[in-house]
Amino acid sequence: MEHTNLEIELVKQHEQLAQAVIALAQGVALKPILQHVGELSKQLTGARYAMLSYIEDGKKIYIPLGMSEEQLALLGSNEPQGIGLLGVMWEQHEVLRVNDIHLHPKAVGVPANHPVMTTFLGAPIMFADEVQGVIYLTEKEGGRAFTPIDETMIRTLASACAVAISNAIRIEKLQARNAELEQRLSECNISDGD
């Protein structure tokens, strides 16, 4: 039985997704996990750019991927504000797929020197009904729109990422608590020696 090119491509994507989920389960540091997720998201969907957002110390942190150092330097201190399309997944907890960013009612524009971006796919990274972060993808190769298959892939990757983030946060808290206990024990040993 012969398979169509689409079937072969789907099998290949599912194999990549399975490998991505396995790799995420092995991560322990939050930022490298998110960078890895961004790179996998680009690879699985054919996106030129990816950005991941998460909260650290009450502030949204953004990790851009796909832009050159020169492009990032031109943007300077124009960090994303998390409003407009970038805020939708935080607010509505839904995947958003848009063929033309500029025509979406939530679009608020981009800063000067920003690369041209038209197509968009975003997914919240949800764990226990709470948004842990967001995956943003833009500019699918060939100027094409993101597909329902891309949406399914990114939704699955976001779910796996949520578990990895939760584990990384838990490990970071345990390591901090362990360091605090070791410090207290050290202080007790010093005072006992006096």
Side-chain angles (χ1 to χ4, degrees):
M1 178 178 181
E2 282 194 41
H3 296 284
T4 66
N5 287 342
L6 178 60
E7 289 171 328
I8 293 168
E9 185 62 29
L10 284 174
V11 168
K12 209 184 302 182
Q13 282 184 317
H14 285 297
E15 287 173 0
Q16 289 175 318
L17 186 59
Q19 292 301 318
V21 170
I22 291 166
L24 284 176
Q26 299 168 353
V28 292
L30 187 56
K31 192 168 181 179
I33 287 172
L34 293 173
Q35 287 174 320
H36 185 62
V37 166
E39 291 298 340
L40 290 170
S41 299
K42 285 173 49 185
Q43 182 182 0
L44 289 169
T45 63
R48 181 173 183 184
Y49 303 107
M51 185 167 63
L52 280 96
S53 177
Y54 67 102
I55 295 179
E56 185 176 275
D57 299 326
K59 181 182 176 198
K60 284 183 187 168
I61 306 295
Y62 294 90
I63 302 171
L65 300 164
M67 286 191 216
S68 68
E69 291 298 323
E70 293 81 21
Q71 287 173 311
L72 290 170
L74 283 172
L75 289 173
S77 62
N78 289 321
E79 288 189 12
Q81 301 300 307
I83 57 176
L85 282 179
L86 298 185
V88 172
M89 279 69 53
W90 287 98
E91 298 163 5
Q92 297 179 2
H93 306 181
E94 297 285 329
V95 173
L96 180 63
R97 187 165 38 102
V98 177
N99 292 340
D100 189 339
I101 293 169
H102 312 289
L103 299 178
H104 193 275
K106 290 277 189 171
V108 293
V110 294
N113 301 314
H114 195 281
V116 174
M117 296 180 180
T118 305
T119 58
F120 178 90
L121 176 60
I125 300 169
M126 303 281 297
F127 188 80
D129 293 329
E130 185 177 319
V131 180
Q132 300 285 322
V134 177
I135 302 170
Y136 308 98
L137 301 169
T138 59
E139 290 308 288
K140 186 171 175 74
E141 59 196 8
R144 294 174 293 151
F146 289 102
T147 67
I149 293 170
D150 294 328
E151 186 175 323
T152 299
M153 298 290 255
I154 206 68
R155 188 187 309 268
T156 303
L157 192 54
S159 294
C161 184
V163 174
I165 289 173
S166 178
N167 289 340
I169 290 170
R170 192 173 300 123
I171 288 168
E172 285 176 2
K173 286 180 181 177
L174 287 172
Q175 288 172 336
R177 184 156 185 191
N178 188 43
E180 181 184 328
L181 290 172
E182 285 179 1
Q183 177 65 32
R184 286 184 184 178
L185 183 59
S186 174
E187 290 169 0
C188 287
N189 287 339
I190 291 171
S191 64
D192 287 347
D194 289 341

